[in-house]
Amino acid sequence: QVQLVESGGGLVQPGGSLRLSCAASGSIFRFRTMGWYRQAPGKLRELVASITTGGSTNYADSVKGRFTISRDNAKNTVYLQMNSLKPEDTAVYYCNTQPSWTAYWGQGTQVTVSS
């Protein structure tokens, strides 16, 4: 059974930083491209960043240059380093494979950027 557990969210001031973690159980992690997604209130869930098994990355234009996705295959964990946070980054952040699978969605972790 696959389980993805996100952590590391919180309340941060504009311009601040957070590092999100996603721990994966099961056998999917090492063989799949992984992604970080977010959903803000009243908006659709969107892909923020993705990383292939080989480490190639891709970012949404809105976070390019501010967010960095990485993965540790030995720990079955994917990370999202978020710098220069803006109020518009406020959302629940989720990890999943990319493309995503409905069954893999977890509870997510709340990120709130506010002064």
Side-chain angles (χ1 to χ4, degrees), residues 62-89:
S62 59
V63 306
K64 201 169 293 184
R66 300 188 296 121
F67 290 11
T68 303
I69 189 172
S70 60
R71 66 191 294 163
D72 185 334
N73 290 333
K75 296 182 178 180
N76 281 1
T77 302
V78 61
Y79 304 97
L80 187 68
Q81 177 67 44
M82 305 186 296
N83 298 328
S84 302
L85 283 161
K86 304 176 181 180
E88 52 263 44
D89 295 318

Side-chain angles (χ1 to χ4, degrees), residues 9-60:
L11 173 64
V12 63
Q13 293 186 342
S17 298
L18 284 173
R19 188 193 194 204
L20 307 183
S21 299
C22 172
S25 63
S27 62
I28 64 164
F29 184 85
R30 298 185 183 185
F31 307 106
R32 301 291 296 274
T33 295
M34 298 298 295
W36 279 99
Y37 301 76
R38 68 185 181 187
Q39 187 167 19
K43 295 188 177 181
L44 296 175
R45 192 173 296 175
E46 63 174 344
L47 177 66
V48 172
S50 63
I51 184 167
T52 68
T53 55
S56 297
T57 58
N58 201 9
Y59 299 92

